[in-house]
């Protein structure tokens, strides 16, 4: 089954948010057939650090990306998300 | 990280048209994979019944599995370099779900290779109604990919048999498709290749002496890093807004076009919220000037947090972002279960904004092969149709004519979790 990779920037709800805790919360909230390949931290400005999650998901299941976006946005500690790129694995 | 210029290459085309085999063999011939690796994978491929003909695709799949397991953790996306450029490959997913993310994603493709099989039957499906070659050609244009090349694959297939006549037949058809979406095909290289045998990937093919053009590798090296759109008006779609103690209101976004300087007078649209840019940072470093591609946070004077939101667009007061009450879009309907009629209200996605929008008028239906109007004021549109339509967002949003600022002139139309259509803004007909 083909996989799709997505790099998604995740903005924390607050500058002081603990990012390791946020990573755990994100991991727990994602659908079971979606895996986090890695998290990177991107320093932005004035102490604000965003997370970039590289996710792997099945391609064929309709609505998987919507589900991921919804789950990420609903995760406590997440303010907004911004998809950077998607590609077949 | 390589010091060579970086470029994002998107590989588009129908699934099973030889994308993986071509890419695998190209990487092999360019020396990124050893012969032993290929042989090992070929054996594995045969054992699973996939057969030897899949060996190059198998190599890529196997490398992917390693990536999945985190073995080569730096290679989340495929990267390789030629003598001139450092490439990141974006392999366009076949599922339409992801098209919205390709339209609104911040990392955009600089160049594209459209792969299409010359094999009898496969080619016809790819360019036919609903075929991904057709959709992806439109997608590439919508994404603003200026540099494109075409790989006509599977030239070794028995139905093609290295035939110049078949190549010319395929080329002519694809030229038509690309012209309709707005490409100047006289500047596009059409390379007949075999991903399997490697003909014309790196070395000129002896089987196709009639072909005098460049190899795929030469085509890749002919791509250039596009210039930054510094001379366009400033546009920064806002991704998020923070209040930071001691700093104040800090909007965050990626500069799409133009230049933002410290001390600039700025305006957020559509709210018409004016202020002044106090200071700019990227990667926690203060910078006096932000340019296209920079991911920045900036502190503003005179702007309260609650008055600026994700989806707003920042500009300068002397060249404000265009706020559209209504606009004309040129769309292609990718998939709709029934038909689109006047009054249909799906959800529009453009840059960082998401807004319900009504199809207030179906202006004209166009022939996807010629671009000619085939029906004025059609009663409905269905899958595969290309059309000019009037769209009215529920609340005014910032969009720009694609011809003026392409970065803010493309959109996806979604409904009930499906990508219904993609399009570009032809003209903003009613400004707020």
């Amino acid at each position: 089954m083909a996989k799709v990779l997505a790099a998604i920037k995740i903005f924390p709800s607050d500058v002081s948010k603990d990012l390791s805790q946020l990573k755990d919360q994100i991991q727990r909230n994602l659908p079971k057939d979606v895996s986090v390949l890695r998290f990177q931290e991107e320093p932005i400005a004035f102490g604000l650090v965003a997370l970039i999650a590289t996710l792997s998901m099945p391609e064929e299941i309709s609505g998987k990306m919507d589900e991921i976006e919804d789950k990420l946005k609903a995760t406590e500690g997440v303010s907004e998300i911004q998809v950077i790129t998607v590609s077949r694995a | 990280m390589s010091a060579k210029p970086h470029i994002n290459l998107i590989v588009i085309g129908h699934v099973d048209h030889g994308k993986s085999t071509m890419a695998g063999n190209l990487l092999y011939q360019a020396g990124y994979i050893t012969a032993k690796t290929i042989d090992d994978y070929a054996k594995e491929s045969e054992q699973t019944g996939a057969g030897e003909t899949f060996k190059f695709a198998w190599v890529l799949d196997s490398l992917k599995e390693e990536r999945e397991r985190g073995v080569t953790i730096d290679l989340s996306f495929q990267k390789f370099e030629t003598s001139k450029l450092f490439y990141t490959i974006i392999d366009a997913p076949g599922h339409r779900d992801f098209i919205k993310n390709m339209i609104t994603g911040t990392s955009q493709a600089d160049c594209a290779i459209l792969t299409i099989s010359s094999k009898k039957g496969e080619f016809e499906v790819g360019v036919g109604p609903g075929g991904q070659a057709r959709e992806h050609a439109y997608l590439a244009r919508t994404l603003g990919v200026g540099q494109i090349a075409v790989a006509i694959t599977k030239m070794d297939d028995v139905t093609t048999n290295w035939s110049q006549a078949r190549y010319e037949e395929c080329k002519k058809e694809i030229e038509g498709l690309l012209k309709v979406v707005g490409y100047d095909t006289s500047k596009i290289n059409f390379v007949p290749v075999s991903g399997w045998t490697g003909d014309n990937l790196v070395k000129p093919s002896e089987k196709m002496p009639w072909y005098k053009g460049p190899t795929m590798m030469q085509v890749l090296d002919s791509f250039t890093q596009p210039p930054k759109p510094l001379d366009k008006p400033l546009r920064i779609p806002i991704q998020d807004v923070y209040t930071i103690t001691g700093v104040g209101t800090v909007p965050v976004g990626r500069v799409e076009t133009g230049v933002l300087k410290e001390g600039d007078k700025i305006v957020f649209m559509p709210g018409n919220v004016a202020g002044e840019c106090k200071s700019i940072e990227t990667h926690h470093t203060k910078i006096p000037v932000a340019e296209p591609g920079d991911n920045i946070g900036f502190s503003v004077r005179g702007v309260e947090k609650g008055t600026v939101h994700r989806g707003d667009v920042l500009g300068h007061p002397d060249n404000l972002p265009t706020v559209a009450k209504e606009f004309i879009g040129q769309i292609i309907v990718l998939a709709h279960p029934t038909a689109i009629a006047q009054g249909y209200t799906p959800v529009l996605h453009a840059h960082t904004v998401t807004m319900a929008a009504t199809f207030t008028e179906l202006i004209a239906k166009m022939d996807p092969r010629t671009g000619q109007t085939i029906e004025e004021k059609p009663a409905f549109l269905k899958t595969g149709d290309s059309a000019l339509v009037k769209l009215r967002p529920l609340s005014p949003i910032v969009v720009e004519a694609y011809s003026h600022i392409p970065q803010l002139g493309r959109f996806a139309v979604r409904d009930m979790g499906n990508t219904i259509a993609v399009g570009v803004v032809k003209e903003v007909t009613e400004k707020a």
Side-chain angles (χ1 to χ4, degrees):
Chain A
M1 196 156 75
K3 295 267 182 174
V4 169
L5 301 178
I8 303 175
K9 193 180 283 192
I10 298 161
F11 292 102
S13 53
D14 194 79
V15 178
S16 57
K17 181 79 194 163
D18 178 342
L19 293 181
S20 16
Q21 199 185 30
L22 188 58
K23 287 176 197 171
D24 288 346
Q25 276 161 333
I26 289 167
Q27 293 258 27
R28 276 202 299 273
N29 267 16
L30 283 170
K32 293 210 165 34
D33 52 0
V34 175
S35 55
V36 180
L37 292 190
R38 61 172 171 179
F39 279 117
Q40 290 164 284
E41 294 186 7
E42 186 184 274
I44 298 179
F46 310 107
L48 173 67
V49 179
L51 287 178
I52 297 178
T54 303
L55 307 179
S56 170
M57 71 198 75
E59 176 170 2
E60 291 82 1
I61 302 172
S62 287
K64 189 51 69 184
M65 196 67 188
D66 281 348
E67 189 186 350
I68 291 169
E69 290 182 43
D70 290 345
K71 297 257 184 196
L72 286 174
K73 280 186 215 163
T75 301
E76 198 195 329
V78 172
S79 169
E80 293 284 356
I81 61 161
Q82 176 68 46
V83 174
I84 299 169
T85 188
V86 290
S87 172
R88 265 191 150 190
Chain B
M1 196 64 90
S2 171
K4 290 172 189 168
H6 285 227
I7 195 163
N8 289 333
L9 167 72
I10 187 170
V11 185
I12 53 179
H14 208 83
V15 287
D16 302 327
H17 275 209
K19 279 196 288 185
S20 295
T21 302
M22 185 183 73
N25 202 349
L26 199 61
L27 292 177
Y28 167 61
Q29 294 206 17
Y32 293 98
I33 307 164
T34 65
K36 184 176 180 309
T37 314
I38 294 277
D39 286 344
D40 287 350
Y41 286 141
K43 276 181 206 139
E44 224 179 299
S45 174
E46 276 188 79
Q47 278 164 10
T48 61
E52 216 202 17
T53 51
F54 287 100
K55 75 177 176 186
F56 292 111
W58 187 262
V59 167
L60 277 196
D61 282 347
S62 304
L63 292 176
K64 278 172 214 158
E65 278 166 28
E66 285 184 16
R67 268 198 326 245
E68 288 281 311
R69 293 198 304 265
V71 175
T72 50
I73 198 148
D74 289 345
L75 293 174
S76 291
F77 294 90
Q78 290 170 43
K79 296 174 196 300
F80 77 102
E81 55 189 292
T82 64
S83 57
K84 291 181 189 157
L85 292 166
F86 184 92
Y87 292 88
T88 299
I89 304 176
I90 302 163
D91 187 350
H95 202 297
R96 293 191 182 102
D97 267 11
F98 299 98
I99 287 180
K100 177 204 92 177
N101 304 106
M102 304 192 79
I103 301 266
T104 58
T106 51
S107 173
Q108 290 292 330
D110 302 308
C111 52
I113 293 180
L114 172 62
T115 57
I116 183 147
S117 166
S118 63
K119 185 175 177 175
K120 197 169 176 58
E122 281 188 356
F123 176 80
E124 286 71 17
V125 168
V127 296
Q132 271 170 355
R134 184 187 281 198
E135 282 185 16
H136 280 181
Y138 203 95
L139 178 65
R141 194 64 188 165
T142 308
L143 289 171
V145 181
Q147 308 172 82
I148 187 167
V150 179
I152 298 177
T153 62
K154 302 194 186 180
M155 291 299 291
D156 62 300
D157 187 80
V158 288
T159 63
T160 304
N161 195 26
W162 315 107
S163 154
Q164 182 177 7
R166 177 61 169 168
Y167 163 79
E168 297 291 350
E169 185 188 352
C170 296
K171 182 180 172 216
K172 194 174 165 213
E173 188 86 12
I174 304 163
E175 272 179 333
L177 274 183
L178 292 173
K179 271 184 197 157
V180 166
V181 301
Y183 282 106
D184 176 358
T185 52
S186 69
K187 292 182 180 146
I188 294 176
N189 284 303
F190 292 76
V191 189
V193 301
S194 164
W196 165 235
T197 64
D199 282 77
N200 279 339
L201 293 185
V202 176
K203 288 187 206 131
S205 169
E206 290 171 9
K207 308 255 180 38
M208 294 178 278
W210 45 265
Y211 174 74
K212 307 292 181 203
T215 62
M216 266 335 286
M217 194 53 96
Q218 286 170 328
V219 166
L220 288 177
D221 256 342
S222 72
F223 289 139
T224 52
Q225 196 180 33
K228 286 182 182 179
L230 294 164
D231 53 347
K232 298 265 185 193
L234 175 69
R235 298 292 183 264
I236 307 176
I238 301 305
Q239 295 176 354
D240 206 348
V241 184
Y242 288 85
T243 303
I244 299 178
T245 313
V247 183
T249 304
V250 176
V252 175
R254 178 184 188 273
V255 183
E256 287 296 337
T257 57
V259 172
L260 175 68
K261 295 192 187 90
E262 260 181 19
D264 276 1
K265 300 276 181 222
I266 50 173
V267 183
F268 297 87
M269 299 301 278
N272 203 14
V273 177
E276 185 190 319
C277 171
K278 278 197 298 185
S279 69
I280 311 165
E281 288 195 5
T282 182
H283 292 280
H284 287 344
T285 307
K286 198 168 185 297
I287 50 171
V289 178
E291 295 183 349
D294 289 343
N295 287 296
I296 59 167
F298 48 101
S299 64
V300 290
R301 186 176 285 133
V303 174
E304 294 299 317
K305 187 192 172 190
T307 58
V308 181
H309 311 93
R310 179 179 168 87
D312 289 355
V313 177
L314 178 86
H316 285 134
D318 60 349
N319 201 331
L320 289 173
T322 306
V323 180
K325 276 188 172 171
E326 192 166 65
F327 67 89
I328 294 173
Q330 182 179 346
I331 62 163
I332 183 166
V333 182
L334 299 177
H336 193 278
T338 54
I340 294 173
Q342 193 178 315
Y344 178 51
T345 306
V347 177
L348 201 76
H349 297 257
H351 54 90
T352 56
V353 75
T354 301
M355 180 67 69
T358 302
F359 281 69
T360 48
E361 189 183 338
L362 308 182
I363 300 169
K365 193 156 90 175
M366 285 125 76
D367 183 339
R369 285 173 187 237
T370 62
Q372 300 295 310
T373 297
I374 47 174
E375 191 182 347
E376 301 274 1
K377 297 190 180 298
F380 60 88
L381 299 171
K382 53 186 184 6
T383 300
D385 283 347
S386 177
L388 285 178
V389 298
K390 244 183 207 172
L391 288 161
R392 192 172 189 87
L394 221 58
S395 299
I397 58 169
V398 171
V399 286
E400 302 285 353
Y402 184 84
S403 56
H404 180 42
I405 306 179
Q407 292 81 355
L408 275 82
R410 48 179 167 254
F411 59 87
V413 177
R414 306 248 308 161
D415 188 22
M416 310 282 280
N418 294 311
T419 303
I420 303 296
V422 293
V424 298
V425 177
K426 291 294 274 186
E427 185 192 345
V428 175
T429 45
E430 194 182 333
K431 294 180 187 175

